[in-house]
Amino acid sequence: MTDKAVSSPSARFCAQIVDAAEAPLPEPVAVAARRSLLNVLGTAVGAARSAAVEAIIAAAASGQAPGAEPGRPGVPVPGRTETLSPYQSALAAGTAAHLDDFDDTHLATVIHPGAAAMATVLALEPETGAGGARCLTAFALGCEAQLRIGNAVSPEHYDRGWHITGTCGVFGAAVAAGLLLGLDAKGLERALSLASVMMVGHREAFGSMGKPFHAGKAAANGILAARLAAEGLSGITDPLGPDGALSVLASEVKWPELLDGPWGGGWELERNAFKPYPCGIVAHPLIDAAIEASRRLAGPEEITAVSVTCNPLVPELMGRRQPGDGLQARFSSYHAVASGLLDGEAGLAQFSDERATAPDAARLRGLITLHPTPECPRDSAIIAVERGTGDTLTVEVKHARGSLERPLTGEELLAKVGRLASPVLGDGAAEALRGAVDALGDAPDLAVLRAVLTPSAPAPVPVPVPVSVPGDRVNAGESERGTDDEGFTAEIVKLVTGGEPPAAALEKAAARLETFTRVRESGEGGEAVRALRRIAPPSAPPEWEAFTGAAAACRSPEQAAVCAVAAALAAHQAVAGAQGAATATATAEDAVAIGCDAADRVLARLTSAREAGWSATTAATLIGAGAAAARLLRLPGEQARNALGLCATQAAGLAGAEGTGAGAVQAGKAAFDAVEAALLARAGFTAARLPLEGRRGLFALLDRPPSSAG
């Protein structure tokens, strides 16, 4: 048993985690873990051939050939035949698992814990040699850590506009990774302190690939945090305590929710639920009611109007009336109701691009009116369908399918997994997956599970990436801080895609690059840089070169992350033969000038971020570094916007980390994330259209003190 005298919240929490990991999982928890794992493996396989996963694999190949990091086994992605590095595999698997919004959901916090925990465990098992029981325990505790932290900051944190699956997910991934890497309680505390500077997720990204990216990036970042912790690096003291990350995430932290829950039984994981429909869970009671109404209608042509009584979260989270593609449709309660009424079901086909843009669906969506009321519980709804005959058909749903009151049965869950996995893995995939998951307790490794998850043939050529249409957004009817053609995001995009900067700006950029190079090569980067270099791949791709470079120079040259990105990408392009060395140098100066300009503009907007506990400098340099990377890669406007969107949704650095070892990691991570975002955008990854000035974008979430949250 661990020392009971530990006093800080972080120390107590990590001691509890280690104690729980050393004991067998209570049987109800083991059952819940197996159900959650089976469900999330199904959702990951179901989206394995999606455009988002294709983009991640393509981006990995553009930095270096996909495959194993030297000294570490290559890791396959569920439903794919390729092997990637552990980091890239976790990113792809976590993104796939959350892509269709069909994964598990903890209803009290709206966290989807399975994606990040599953992706972390699958990525690290080959190198750690962990047995099946240990992997299941790491998965269960990775989920549980997310949920207990989420309980402590709910509902305020999510209500502010953060995507809690990403912000809390990285802590759970760090726990799962730390347990597999053999960290003790002190090591886990270090991992959580580093995870606190790698949080990700703004709700502005909903309706784009940026939302599932949050789950994948939480897994990948959790692995990085645990690896650095294993090297002895630490960050802020007591990351879960009063002066740590949680007090920045919410003004009121419920410490008992974090520390006083039972570990012998009654885990939060036992309250994890499984979706019957691939869309935002608040729309599920509406779908149930619409499907029931469809059975009593002669046909959709007799519908003249539809009135929906629902919880206020429905229009808040799913207020988009006319989605432009399948991803957007997942955040349209109007489309969810229309699908139920038109098709009598709401599966993946109903949330495809084709169905989202079909004329009959658009017509019916226009007839629907939402009537939100706090008196309506989240899992309830009433639909009143007016017919041409003059009468009204009313259907009430008290508890949605998949809720804790009406959970999916084992056979219903198996059928769901079968619908997802069979098109990729073949007939009988669901039964094989259930058998492999049920046998984990006695399995020496995950070989059987991996064999089941691997298809017999490579994925077919992907379909073109859908492009979201401007104009109608997730928070329909609410005021926006700009439009697609005007506003801050457009201003930065124009800067990236515009002409050459003035001569004075280029001269200043050249001086910054020279200073950056001198400081980077001085060998004075500190323990953080030495730890980063120990865990970096020997043949480092450009994002790793940027990571270590920015961390090494973070205290001296202005906008070190911007310089690191420009230097790393320019060198990578020159080596790859894309440009000559002289041209690469000139392009780096140009990129630094553009990136520093963008960073300065963002920093001027973030006037009260530090008061709220956020690092305005880290946020600004991440956007600037993203602008520099987009400029160097010559991304066109739409791709540049997506690169900036991926950067903005990760700009959650902590002011309290500045000046610590975690501060150097935070600065380096800004450069890493910027290069990765640009490569992903070039490969077709999409993100929010208004990531900076949007209602749930960077400025709204960082540039205000906690007391002003509403």
Side-chain angles (χ1 to χ4, degrees):
M1 295 292 289
T2 51
D3 184 5
K4 300 302 182 183
V6 292
S7 57
S8 75
S10 300
R12 286 182 59 194
F13 185 73
C14 292
Q16 291 170 349
I17 291 286
V18 169
D19 281 349
E22 292 175 348
L25 291 175
E27 185 54 27
V29 177
V31 170
R34 289 193 294 267
R35 278 171 58 86
S36 292
L37 182 58
L38 176 63
N39 180 81
V40 80
L41 288 172
T43 63
V45 170
R49 297 173 177 175
S50 65
V53 174
E54 295 288 349
I56 291 172
I57 292 174
S62 68
Q64 62 178 12
E69 294 175 2
R72 294 176 183 147
V75 182
V77 178
R80 306 283 306 201
T81 57
E82 301 94 338
T83 59
L84 304 174
S85 71
Y87 174 93
Q88 293 288 358
S89 177
L91 178 63
T95 300
H98 191 43
L99 183 80
D100 287 322
D101 249 274
F102 217 176
D103 47 341
D104 49 295
T105 307
H106 181 256
L107 299 176
T109 59
V110 206
I111 292 176
H112 308 278
M118 173 275 296
T120 300
V121 170
L122 290 189
L124 289 181
E125 182 270 341
E127 71 180 80
T128 60
R134 187 175 161 202
C135 286
L136 188 65
T137 295
F139 171 80
L141 285 166
C143 291
E144 188 69 12
Q146 296 177 61
L147 301 180
R148 295 194 181 207
I149 292 172
N151 276 343
V153 297
S154 290
E156 179 190 341
H157 176 58
Y158 188 85
D159 289 347
R160 286 190 190 182
W162 293 97
H163 186 196
I164 195 169
T165 293
T167 54
C168 292
V170 68
F171 293 107
V175 164
L179 292 174
L180 291 182
L181 292 173
L183 298 185
D184 59 12
K186 287 291 186 184
L188 282 183
E189 194 173 351
R190 292 196 302 273
L192 293 181
S193 74
L194 293 164
S196 70
V197 300
M198 301 185 195
M199 295 182 293
V200 55
H202 303 168
R203 271 174 41 205
E204 190 68 26
F206 285 19
S208 74
M209 295 178 189
K211 182 179 189 281
F213 174 77
H214 297 159
K217 200 61 189 285
N221 285 351
I223 290 173
L224 287 180
R227 287 202 195 281
L228 289 170
E231 295 292 335
L233 194 66
S234 62
I236 59 176
T237 303
D238 195 13
L240 305 183
D243 296 321
L246 301 195
S247 294
V248 180
L249 298 182
S251 59
E252 180 183 355
V253 179
K254 304 168 186 173
W255 306 112
E257 298 284 351
L258 177 70
L259 300 169
D260 296 342
W263 289 97
W267 289 22
E268 288 300 314
L269 184 57
E270 295 178 62
R271 289 178 274 279
N272 210 20
F274 309 105
K275 294 182 176 183
Y277 311 118
C279 64
I281 199 164
V282 295
H284 286 202
L286 285 66
I287 295 173
D288 285 342
I291 290 175
E292 177 59 30
S294 73
R295 297 170 180 154
R296 306 183 196 176
L297 294 169
E301 63 279 355
E302 67 173 319
I303 300 175
T304 59
V306 181
S307 176
V308 180
T309 301
C310 57
N311 185 272
L313 274 179
V314 173
E316 164 68 16
L317 301 180
M318 300 186 65
R320 188 190 303 270
R321 182 178 288 275
Q322 297 295 354
D325 57 40
L327 283 176
Q328 291 183 358
R330 285 172 168 78
F331 298 93
S332 170
S333 56
Y334 298 91
H335 183 76
V337 172
S339 295
L341 289 171
L342 288 169
D343 301 341
E345 57 182 316
L348 288 175
Q350 280 66 45
F351 292 92
S352 64
D353 294 344
E354 294 76 14
R355 198 71 187 103
T357 55
D360 61 337
R363 183 195 74 84
L364 189 50
R365 290 192 296 256
L367 300 178
I368 298 169
T369 303
L370 302 181
H371 298 282
T373 173
E375 286 70 37
C376 183
R378 291 186 184 184
D379 64 341
S380 303
I382 301 173
I383 286 184
V385 181
E386 298 180 19
R387 299 189 273 195
T389 55
D391 61 334
T392 299
L393 170 62
T394 301
V395 176
E396 179 177 6
V397 170
K398 293 186 179 296
H399 299 291
R401 287 184 63 227
S403 65
L404 294 179
E405 288 75 13
R406 292 179 62 195
L408 296 187
T409 66
E411 290 310 306
E412 287 175 327
L413 178 57
L414 187 66
K416 170 188 172 178
V417 172
R419 290 192 296 272
L420 292 165
S422 294
V424 179
L425 302 176
D427 294 340
E431 290 80 2
L433 277 173
R434 181 169 66 176
V437 170
D438 285 347
L440 283 178
D442 298 318
D445 51 37
L446 299 188
V448 173
L449 179 60
R450 289 193 187 281
V452 174
L453 289 169
T454 304
S456 58
V461 177
V463 298
V465 176
V467 177
S468 299
V469 298
D472 193 39
R473 319 207 196 289
V474 173
N475 300 304
E478 297 175 339
S479 61
E480 297 286 354
R481 300 187 181 188
T483 68
D484 290 342
D485 298 320
E486 298 178 354
F488 205 96
T489 300
E491 178 182 323
I492 303 300
V493 170
K494 290 176 182 177
L495 187 67
V496 169
T497 58
E500 184 175 302
L506 290 172
E507 184 178 347
K508 187 174 183 180
R512 282 173 166 169
L513 274 170
E514 182 180 353
T515 303
F516 163 78
T517 301
R518 184 172 62 253
V519 175
R520 180 190 61 187
E521 296 175 353
S522 68
E524 299 177 358
E527 182 55 32
V529 176
R530 290 190 288 274
L532 281 170
R533 288 173 176 158
R534 287 194 294 270
I535 72 169
S539 300
E543 57 266 39
W544 272 99
E545 292 287 357
F547 199 161
T548 55
C554 70
R555 296 188 184 183
S556 293
E558 190 176 358
Q559 312 296 0
V562 178
C563 293
V565 165
L569 272 177
H572 179 72
Q573 289 180 330
V575 169
Q579 305 179 61
T583 303
T585 302
T587 304
E589 294 169 354
D590 175 87
V592 168
I594 294 297
C596 288
D597 189 351
D600 288 342
R601 297 183 192 207
V602 172
L603 192 59
R605 287 289 299 266
L606 294 174
T607 57
S608 60
R610 176 170 287 277
E611 183 183 352
W614 301 109
S615 171
T617 301
T618 299
T621 54
L622 179 48
I623 301 303
R631 177 77 171 191
L632 251 170
L633 295 178
R634 301 300 185 194
L635 299 187
E638 189 67 20
Q639 290 183 359
R641 181 189 292 272
N642 286 327
L644 292 171
L646 291 175
C647 289
T649 202
Q650 300 181 79
L654 296 177
E658 295 174 352
T660 71
V665 173
Q666 188 165 263
K669 194 63 166 47
F672 179 103
D673 292 339
V675 175
E676 180 184 66
L679 293 175
L680 285 169
R682 186 174 66 175
F685 216 86
T686 64
R689 298 199 61 79
L690 298 176
L692 299 172
E693 71 274 27
R695 183 173 180 269
R696 302 298 190 187
L698 179 68
F699 297 149
L701 297 187
L702 265 60
D703 199 23
R704 60 179 178 179
S707 60
S708 68

